[in-house]
Amino acid sequence: MAAILGAIQIFCLFMRVFCFRLIAYLLVWLLPNLVLAATQEPVRLFLQESLDQQGKQLPTDPKLIEILKYFEKQTGLKFEPVILPWKRAQVETLAGKGVIYGFSRSRERIAAYHFSEPVVVERIWGITYGKPKPKYRTVEDLRGKVVSTGRGFSHGLEFDLARDVIFTVQEDSASTHARFKKLMAKRSDVMVWPVRGMETQKEVEKYINRIIVQESNDPELAGRYFDVSDQPLFFDTMHFASAKGRYLEVIAKIDAAILRGKKNGSLAQVLRGYH
């Protein structure tokens, strides 16, 4: 009996020592990390402005908010979204004032920016107005044409190589309605439009006419119908990016979240419905 009591006392002593060491470990290692997480500075995240026909900023897409919250959860980062004209967002990023999201690669950008892994692939479709519908299938079909795109936008390396060589680029403001009207007025031949999550011409054409055009509530666009190219003209990838040598740890955390999300399927799930 004495032996049993002695064994119990030894076990209780061992558990006390174990618990004491466990608490010490938590205090030494976890508490500073918790304090750091609570006090870390938010990362300024530059986003593209999107304007209505009056030039006022449209509400941020709820799906984009969901995606950014996903990356905050997966990385432990805290973002401070800043909505700017796209060229201004690029200048601020190059100045080391934050990270940009929704950024496409080009030759010039690769030399100046540090890009994350691709977040999503975009298909770049051609939108036209009027009959007969032009047969734009390849880059060569755009030779000599005026191509409308958003100001400060690139649509991938192939687009970058062809701009002002095969076709002329007309950069327009962030107001999509103004771009549709220029297309109707024949001031541009084709408008390039990136779409995520849709694979067929019919899906995209329905989305453009029923959602983008009809829901604009612009009387000049009422009853108008726009055609979409039979296939994507370009493919592009969207990234987070920072200036070279800046925010490397932030981009590394984002990269880890992207790779992990692609492996376990969570990234594809949160991107569903992101057009």
Side-chain angles (χ1 to χ4, degrees):
M1 188 68 178
I4 294 175
L5 291 174
I8 292 174
Q9 290 176 342
I10 292 172
F11 176 76
C12 291
L13 179 62
F14 171 79
M15 289 303 297
R16 287 174 187 162
V17 172
F18 173 78
C19 291
F20 175 79
R21 289 183 176 179
L22 179 61
I23 293 171
Y25 170 82
L26 292 174
L27 290 174
V28 171
W29 294 102
L30 295 186
L31 187 58
N33 289 334
L34 291 174
V35 171
L36 178 63
T39 60
Q40 69 175 348
E41 289 293 322
V43 178
R44 298 187 81 198
L45 184 66
F46 299 117
L47 304 173
Q48 170 206 347
E49 70 174 3
S50 183
L51 307 179
D52 62 16
Q53 55 264 44
Q54 281 80 43
K56 297 179 180 179
Q57 173 63 37
L58 292 168
T60 304
D61 181 0
K63 191 63 183 180
L64 175 57
I65 295 174
E66 180 185 350
I67 291 167
L68 297 182
K69 288 186 179 298
Y70 168 86
F71 277 104
E72 285 185 327
K73 181 179 179 181
Q74 294 297 318
T75 61
L77 299 169
K78 177 64 178 177
F79 294 131
E80 179 188 338
V82 180
I83 299 173
L84 292 173
W86 201 224
K87 281 194 172 181
R88 172 73 184 281
Q90 295 169 45
V91 170
E92 294 292 294
T93 303
L94 270 184
K97 296 181 179 179
V99 172
I100 195 169
Y101 171 70
F103 209 39
S104 172
R105 296 185 303 166
S106 69
R107 289 175 299 173
E108 290 79 9
R109 290 176 179 179
I110 288 173
Y113 295 88
H114 176 55
F115 283 84
S116 74
E117 292 286 325
V119 176
V120 64
V121 174
E122 289 187 333
R123 294 169 175 82
I124 313 299
W125 300 83
I127 301 176
T128 58
Y129 180 79
K131 303 299 180 183
K133 173 184 173 180
K135 299 297 182 183
Y136 297 142
R137 293 190 177 89
T138 67
V139 177
E140 188 59 35
D141 293 332
L142 299 176
R143 183 170 293 279
K145 303 300 182 182
V146 176
V147 176
S148 168
T149 186
R151 182 170 292 126
F153 277 77
S154 172
H155 295 293
L157 296 174
E158 187 181 8
F159 179 90
D160 184 52
L161 290 171
R163 70 180 295 161
D164 299 324
V165 176
I166 292 178
F167 51 78
T168 301
V169 170
Q170 179 188 78
E171 291 195 349
D172 291 306
S173 70
S175 172
T176 58
H177 310 104
R179 294 176 63 197
F180 279 105
K181 292 174 187 178
K182 285 186 177 182
L183 198 58
M184 290 165 50
K186 304 299 181 185
R187 293 170 61 187
S188 59
D189 297 299
V190 58
M191 177 167 60
V192 288
W193 191 281
V195 177
R196 302 168 288 263
M198 295 183 187
E199 299 184 3
T200 69
Q201 177 264 344
K202 288 185 178 180
E203 284 181 293
V204 178
E205 195 161 289
K206 181 179 178 180
Y207 168 71
I208 292 296
N209 287 284
R210 293 191 179 181
I211 305 298
I212 303 299
V213 175
Q214 288 188 16
E215 293 189 3
S216 70
N217 295 319
D218 189 319
E220 294 183 53
L221 297 180
R224 307 290 185 172
Y225 192 88
F226 295 84
D227 295 304
V228 173
S229 57
D230 294 336
Q231 60 193 44
L233 300 176
F234 304 96
F235 288 87
D236 196 8
T237 51
M238 290 292 100
H239 306 255
F240 290 87
S242 63
K244 287 280 189 180
R246 304 297 299 271
Y247 294 94
L248 298 182
E249 291 186 4
V250 170
I251 298 297
K253 290 181 179 181
I254 291 171
D255 280 343
I258 292 170
L259 295 175
R260 185 169 59 250
K262 288 181 177 180
K263 186 175 181 179
N264 63 27
S266 63
L267 182 57
Q269 184 176 354
V270 77
L271 290 174
R272 191 171 295 122
Y274 181 39
H275 305 310

